Amino acid sequence: MSQEQPRKPDEAEKETVKHEDLVVDVQGALARKKAVAESIGGQVLGQDKKAPLSSESVSSGKTNITIGEALEATALTAGNRPVDYSDAAAIQAAEVRATGRTNIIPGGVAAAAQSAATRNARVTKEEEKTKLAEILADASTKLPADKPVTRKDAEGVIGAELRNDPNLCTRPGGVAASIAAAARLNQSHTTTSTNNNQNSNSLKQKLN
């Protein structure tokens, strides 16, 4: 009869560390999304209203805001709005820049947005239309690849939303606004980190 070997203490410790890292990562991602929402003056929906927002949470984090996180921030600020063609175009542009692929990924965020926009154009009752939150709530997990938002990414997404809007304008709190806000925060974070490194190097040189 085989006996189950006792678990080594270090294995249990490793699992605890992994769990803690996961919690920190999830909290950091939420903080970054909320910072985007705050920076565009968005009203955060649902339970997320309870948590404080601060753009400083981005600079204190280890990583910049990704395209997936910026899309998820749109679900916080404009989640109750029905998906239209300009939203779908902006989401597609964001997905292309996140993944590096030029085609729409079957079952991906852009494909879901396109289907929702087409369906919403035919539906007359507002309550039956597919909302942005339904498409973007888990955007990060639906993207096969993701990357930090850059200014070029923002320009591409803004252009796509503008071209597909009847009034040739971007939507307040929408996809383009969230991507642009994320790009600004990332640029600010990079500048702050660079300045801190330069100050640290200067201080070291003086001490030496």
Side-chain angles (χ1 to χ4, degrees):
M1 184 171 129
S2 64
Q3 291 184 346
E4 194 176 323
Q5 289 186 355
R7 219 164 146 190
K8 293 178 183 177
D10 59 334
E11 286 180 0
E13 285 173 13
K14 281 180 187 174
E15 281 198 8
T16 305
V17 171
K18 283 180 184 176
H19 174 69
E20 287 173 357
D21 287 347
L22 180 63
V23 170
V24 170
D25 187 53
V26 169
Q27 288 175 340
L30 185 59
R32 291 191 294 272
K33 285 186 286 184
K34 289 183 176 183
V36 173
E38 181 191 46
S39 69
I40 57 178
Q43 295 297 314
V44 180
L45 306 173
Q47 295 179 349
D48 293 301
K49 283 181 181 177
K50 297 175 185 176
L53 303 179
S54 174
S55 56
E56 290 176 4
S57 59
V58 177
S59 58
S60 63
K62 293 180 182 177
T63 56
N64 284 326
I65 302 161
T66 66
I67 289 174
E69 289 169 344
L71 289 175
E72 289 174 359
T74 309
L76 295 179
T77 57
N80 290 334
R81 197 171 65 210
V83 183
D84 66 12
Y85 289 116
S86 65
D87 296 320
I91 292 166
Q92 182 182 345
E95 182 181 88
V96 165
R97 290 186 169 273
T99 63
R101 302 182 185 182
T102 54
N103 60 317
I104 292 179
I105 302 162
V109 184
Q114 287 283 1
S115 298
T118 303
R119 181 183 177 277
N120 286 350
R122 297 171 185 160
V123 175
T124 53
K125 292 183 179 178
E126 197 74 11
E127 62 273 14
E128 292 179 2
K129 293 183 177 182
T130 304
K131 307 299 190 293
L132 278 169
E134 297 173 58
I135 304 297
L136 299 177
D138 300 311
S140 293
T141 59
K142 294 174 187 173
L143 290 171
D146 205 355
K147 64 183 276 291
V149 185
T150 65
R151 187 175 174 179
K152 284 189 177 181
D153 296 328
E155 288 171 356
V157 174
I158 290 168
E161 189 168 307
L162 282 171
R163 286 192 300 273
N164 290 272
D165 186 86
N167 301 315
L168 295 176
C169 63
T170 57
R171 310 279 289 275
V175 177
S178 292
I179 296 287
R184 284 195 303 272
L185 288 168
N186 285 351
Q187 191 172 15
S188 173
H189 179 207
T190 303
T191 304
T192 302
S193 299
T194 303
N195 289 340
N196 288 342
N197 288 337
Q198 288 174 347
N199 291 338
S200 177
N201 291 337
S202 298
L203 182 60
K204 284 177 184 176
Q205 286 173 357
K206 286 178 182 177
L207 292 173
N208 292 334

